[in-house]
Every structure is written in C-alpha cells, then in structure tokens.
Amino acid sequence: LPTPPARLPYVPHVSHMALPGKVTATTFALERPCCVFDGHADASDAVWLAVAFANASATFRNPRSRADVPPYQQLPTAHSYMTLETAAAAYSCLAASPPVLRVGSDTACRDQGRQDPCNGPLPSPGPYRVKFLLMGCRGPKAETLWSDPILLRRAVSPSTIDPAPARHGSDVVVIASILASLGAALATAVLGALGAKVWGSVCHRDLGTDAFALRSYQTHHIPPALHRPPPRGCGCSP
C-alpha cells in the first residue's frame, strides 16, 4: 500500500489583503502558502490545489498519480477537481511569488475539449473547501488541512432588479424643481411687498409735508376786520 501523505498543519484561506474582487460570483483570491512544503518537497515535485463542494470534501480521495487527477470538467458530477499545478519550489521560503492565487480565473476552461488541468470559473456560489496537495512521481507526499467553507457572491438576475428607484429619482428631481420655483416666486412676492411698503411710507411722508404747507398758507380765508366806530368823546366838534 502507498504511504499516506504527511498531514501539514496549514489551513488555506481567502487572502486577508484588501483586494478588489477578492471574492466574486465565480472566483476567489486564495493566500499563497509559503514555507509550508519545505522539508517535504523535492525539485521534481508539484503542488496541486484540490477544490470540492463543502459537503463533498470528506469523500474526496487523493489521486495516486498525475494521470488520476480529477479534471475541472468533472466538477458537476464528481463534485471536486484539482487545478493550479505548480512546481513545489514556487512555494519555498526563498521564492519571490505573487502573494495570492486566483481560483476560477481561466474562462477558456469552459471549452469541453480541453483535457489539461484547468482553473475554470466556479459554476455556483458553493460553498467550497480547498486544500493543497504535494505530489511526487510516486503519488501524494504531503497535504494541508481543508479550508473553512468559502461562499461566493450571488449574481443578481436582471429580471429581479426593481426599476422603481430610477422613477423615484425622477420624482425627486421634479419635486425639487417645483419647490425651487415656488421658493423663487415667494421670494419675489416678499420683496415686492417690502418694496411697496417702503414706497408707501415715502409717499405718505411727502404727502404729509405738502398738506402742512397748504394749511400753513391758506390765510386768504380769514375774514377782513370789521370797521369800528370811533369811541365817544373823541374826534372834532361840529
């Protein structure tokens, strides 16, 4: 019987880095394991990523050779596949490699004629579990633990999008325009009323001055003084 692979105490996980599109409807960014396989890998060994639906990870069986690797095209029926075949040296402590692995990024894998290990888009939100498997010429040599369930984003169907917010936005614009017009009209009316009041005050003050002037110069209405007879005992004698 083949020797069981060594169990490594590493748990794969989605990257903690702030990345755009870290988890999408068909992909996720996995942190690249570093220094995990040192001491177990030879120069000719390769590291694979096993991907399985979360409820099927317990029944996953490691392949005995590269020829037995489950391909991406069998995911709908086998509920698991292996991908991202990489030289073990790329995961060593001294390797200068990108910090993340994008799972599900190869859209060309949808071609059913391809038989090479593909990293195709994930067909559903999952959830999924993943683990890394170190394989040599004689089969699996070491493996990590399975990850926690990874749930992808759900795509929104265009038929479920409510167009009401757009209509509400138009209504808000119309209402805002009406309120702005009413505000302008009210401001005009207030300014007009204030102007009329000020003008009336000025006119009233002018009219009051003219009336006083007219009353002051109406002396010709005073009746003339009556002729009084001279007092008795005064005047010339006949």
Side-chain angles (χ1 to χ4, degrees):
L1 294 176
T3 303
R7 299 292 299 272
L8 306 177
Y10 176 80
V11 180
H13 56 84
V14 173
S15 174
H16 295 307
M17 299 176 62
L19 301 173
K22 182 162 55 176
V23 177
T24 70
T26 58
T27 68
F28 60 89
L30 198 66
E31 182 180 85
R32 175 185 291 268
C34 182
C35 306
V36 173
F37 305 104
D38 289 5
H40 299 275
D42 296 327
S44 60
D45 294 344
V47 176
W48 291 76
L49 179 71
V51 183
F53 286 108
N55 57 3
S57 61
T59 59
F60 179 84
R61 296 293 179 264
N62 293 331
R64 294 185 178 182
S65 65
R66 190 182 187 281
D68 298 327
V69 168
Y72 163 80
Q73 287 78 6
Q74 293 183 9
L75 175 61
T77 55
H79 308 298
S80 61
Y81 71 101
M82 291 175 60
T83 186
L84 295 178
E85 180 184 14
T86 307
Y91 295 106
S92 68
C93 295
L94 301 178
S97 302
V100 296
L101 303 171
R102 175 69 65 175
V103 181
S105 61
D106 189 359
T107 58
C109 288
R110 292 173 178 171
D111 183 3
Q112 296 297 325
R114 292 187 58 174
Q115 297 299 321
D116 57 319
C118 283
N119 183 26
L122 298 170
S124 69
Y128 300 91
R129 290 180 185 268
V130 298
K131 74 173 182 178
F132 290 97
L133 182 62
L134 175 67
M135 292 188 64
C137 59
R138 296 183 180 180
K141 298 177 62 175
E143 64 180 352
T144 68
L145 301 175
W146 286 99
S147 70
D148 293 330
I150 300 172
L151 183 65
L152 304 187
R153 296 182 180 274
R154 294 183 181 273
V156 178
S157 173
S159 60
T160 63
I161 299 176
D162 184 10
R167 294 196 300 268
H168 292 166
S170 300
D171 294 342
V172 170
V173 172
V174 172
I175 292 173
S177 300
I178 294 175
L179 292 177
S181 301
L182 291 176
L186 181 61
T188 303
V190 171
L191 291 176
L194 291 175
K197 185 176 180 180
V198 172
W199 180 256
S201 300
V202 173
C203 291
H204 179 72
R205 185 166 58 251
D206 292 342
L207 289 175
T209 304
D210 293 342
F212 176 78
L214 289 174
R215 286 196 300 269
S216 300
Y217 289 98
Q218 286 179 356
T219 56
H220 58 279
H221 293 291
I222 301 175
L226 297 178
H227 178 70
R228 297 182 179 182
R232 293 176 178 268
C234 295
C236 298
S237 55

